[in-house]
Amino acid sequence: MKVLVVGGGGREHALAWRLRRDDPRIELYAAPGNPGIAALATCLSIGATQIDSLVAFARQERIDWTLVGPEIPLSLGIADAFTAAGLPIFGPTRAAAQVESSKSYSKTLMIDAGVPTARAAVCTTVAEAHRAIDEIGAPVVVKASGLAAGKGVIICATADEARVAADGMLAGGSFGDAGATVLIEEFMEGEELSLFVLTDGERVLALPAAQDHKRLLDGDRGPNTGGMGAYCPVSLTEQSPELVGEVLDTIVRPTLGAMRERGTPFSGLLYAGLMLTAAGPRVVEFNCRFGDPETEAVLPAIAPSAPLAGLMELIARGQRLPENIDLSATRSAVTTVLAADGYPEHPRKGDAIEMPAVPADVLVFHAGTARRDDGRLVTAGGRVLAVTGVADSLAVAQQRSQAFAASVQFAGRQYRTDIGWRELERRAGVT
Ligand code: AMP
Ligand code: GLY
């Protein structure tokens, strides 16, 4: 069977790894892939957003089904183009991808469906935004509605800060078109959780929950990034399975139902970014695809016997998803991201990477790497490698991840040494 993976980051490397592990007979192609994915797949010189070329390739090579990693091709309509060409694809249509590509769409959908989320006003003028800031009061969150590579969210301690942020987006063009509409949102307090749900549009299967670490530095300090690490599973959900049930019943199913009613059903992977507030779980955001770096921790934690590849193929083919399959975590996984010098503002490219042999129970997923003409592996993006340690306990998984991360060398390398700290603290408190 031939499968095409669209994308070329750590998430796509982890997906490619899991597909091959679930079904070694799969012949994999990746567009564009990366030097890590190249060990598992034939990498194509077609970019993830070259939709016409991807359709032509899938047709010509008789690709059985396609899996899309990043949000941008989905928001550009890659699933619509493949479906129109009769090619099975895992990922939502352009209309359904708006759960991520338009925060104003997503917020309106949640309000209509009665899904718990922060109160917010959708504003297109400075005057509206200022009124909403006064009404909601500080602290308050200002968000660009469109896709802004994870950067369009500004948490403001004071109303003055919020006015400056909103003016920058609406009048100053600080996020281009993405900031032409803004959300002024109530600030929520609690722990964050990433829950991935496979869905055929109606039936759902939850993957074990994960926690991301968005700040650059240890102790959750420093600027926000695309994610410096993740771990899975999270005991908050392991110890109270009813929490996941509550999220499915009060958040995921009503959202999918409202999307079906609007004639824009969502199929693929719905990522619920949640805040566990004192009043229960509430939605921070939805994403229309697997999260990065959570995927690099979630997929290795799930039992090898769980048929993820087969489930994704069913969804790609528009078939019914069985709901009685256990996808829970049987091991713990901790992923430490190695980022380039200057990340997140100005990541430097081209630094040579020295990597020792990878031990058992460590997986190295390539995120932003390239091969020079002389064969040397070099940095080629902000997040360079995702190093996942797997073990029966989270503490050992963390040690494995950290020890190998420390042994990888490149100039200006940045990484956190405390991924999973909340969980380790929680467990220390319990025993
Ligand atoms: P988003 O891109 O919407 O996920 O926002 C990025 C990050 O900003 C989230 O992961 C949260 O840490 C934070 N955030 C977003 N919205 C809120 C909110 N309403 N209250 C508190 N924190 C928020
Ligand atoms: N880990 C955050 C994201 O994938 O959006």
Side-chain angles (χ1 to χ4, degrees):
M1 179 160 54
K2 292 182 173 180
V3 180
L4 170 63
V5 174
V6 176
R11 164 185 48 209
E12 288 76 25
H13 190 178
L15 286 164
W17 168 81
R18 182 76 205 201
L19 289 175
R20 287 296 304 269
R21 177 160 129 170
D22 285 4
D23 185 354
R25 293 165 307 176
I26 288 178
E27 206 180 313
L28 266 188
Y29 295 84
N34 66 36
I37 296 174
L40 303 165
T42 304
C43 293
L44 312 173
S45 49
I46 307 177
T49 57
Q50 292 175 267
I51 294 175
D52 292 343
S53 305
L54 291 169
V55 168
F57 174 81
R59 249 204 196 123
Q60 197 184 325
E61 285 298 321
R62 300 182 181 280
I63 296 293
D64 290 282
W65 63 281
T66 296
L67 168 60
V68 186
E71 63 277 16
I72 294 186
L74 292 166
S75 72
L76 294 173
I78 190 171
D80 310 65
F82 271 65
T83 304
L87 297 162
I89 187 160
F90 180 94
T93 61
R94 178 186 186 141
Q98 286 182 96
V99 288
E100 173 166 3
S101 65
S102 166
K103 288 190 194 292
S104 64
Y105 168 95
S106 175
K107 186 60 75 174
T108 311
L109 180 78
M110 284 187 259
I111 292 167
D112 290 352
V115 166
T117 182
R119 204 153 54 91
V122 176
C123 307
T124 51
T125 67
V126 165
E128 274 172 1
H130 287 198
R131 261 199 310 278
I133 291 164
D134 288 341
E135 205 240 315
I136 290 176
V140 61
V141 185
V142 178
K143 298 186 172 185
S145 176
L147 290 178
K151 297 202 177 113
V153 174
I154 305 179
I155 295 175
C156 304
T158 65
D160 275 342
E161 262 178 59
R163 279 188 284 270
V164 169
D167 293 359
M169 290 184 194
L170 288 166
S174 53
F175 289 95
D177 287 349
T181 300
V182 306
L183 261 70
I184 306 296
E185 191 169 282
E186 170 199 358
F187 176 78
M188 297 186 288
E189 258 175 290
E191 264 198 60
E192 285 186 65
L193 199 67
S194 303
L195 188 72
F196 298 171
V197 178
L198 288 172
T199 179
D200 58 11
E202 191 174 349
R203 284 157 292 266
V204 295
L205 277 175
L207 274 55
Q211 258 180 341
D212 190 3
H213 298 61
K214 291 213 158 93
R215 302 291 203 95
L216 181 69
L217 304 173
D218 280 4
D220 290 333
R221 291 173 304 110
N224 258 318
T225 70
M228 293 299 289
Y231 71 91
C232 172
V234 182
S235 63
L236 291 171
T237 59
E238 299 288 292
Q239 282 157 11
S240 52
E242 65 278 7
L243 176 61
V244 173
E246 183 186 351
V247 172
L248 294 178
D249 287 342
T250 63
I251 291 173
V252 175
R253 289 195 177 96
T255 300
L256 294 173
M259 295 185 80
R260 288 197 304 277
E261 272 168 32
R262 290 178 177 212
T264 56
F266 183 101
S267 81
L269 188 287
L270 183 68
Y271 165 149
L274 305 167
M275 189 76 82
L276 303 178
T277 72
R282 299 170 83 191
V283 179
V284 179
E285 62 165 355
F286 283 126
N287 292 317
C288 65
R289 37 86 196 164
F290 283 90
D292 196 351
E294 293 99 318
T295 302
E296 292 95 305
V298 171
L299 297 187
I302 298 175
S305 56
L308 279 173
L311 294 170
M312 288 194 268
E313 183 185 354
L314 281 183
I315 293 172
R317 294 188 183 283
Q319 292 169 1
R320 197 182 162 93
L321 189 67
E323 279 188 306
N324 55 351
I325 291 190
D326 182 12
L327 298 180
S328 55
T330 51
R331 300 195 84 194
S332 288
V334 172
T335 300
T336 301
V337 168
L338 289 164
D341 186 65
Y343 181 71
E345 286 306 320
H346 303 289
R348 188 173 65 205
K349 295 183 181 176
D351 290 310
I353 302 170
E354 299 285 351
M355 184 159 33
V358 181
D361 287 323
V362 171
L363 294 155
V364 177
F365 299 115
H366 289 228
T369 68
R371 265 237 195 256
R372 257 184 356 207
D373 289 345
D374 63 3
R376 277 300 282 275
L377 193 65
V378 295
T379 63
R383 290 185 287 176
V384 178
L385 295 164
V387 177
T388 300
V390 184
D392 292 333
S393 77
L394 193 90
V396 176
Q398 191 200 49
Q399 281 160 18
R400 288 187 174 144
S401 171
Q402 275 184 28
F404 193 76
S407 73
V408 177
Q409 303 293 334
F410 54 86
R413 169 193 74 157
Q414 307 187 73
Y415 68 97
R416 283 180 61 160
T417 63
D418 66 346
I419 303 301
W421 69 268
R422 283 178 188 278
E423 186 68 30
L424 293 173
E425 265 187 13
R426 222 176 353 252
R427 291 191 182 190
V430 169
T431 49

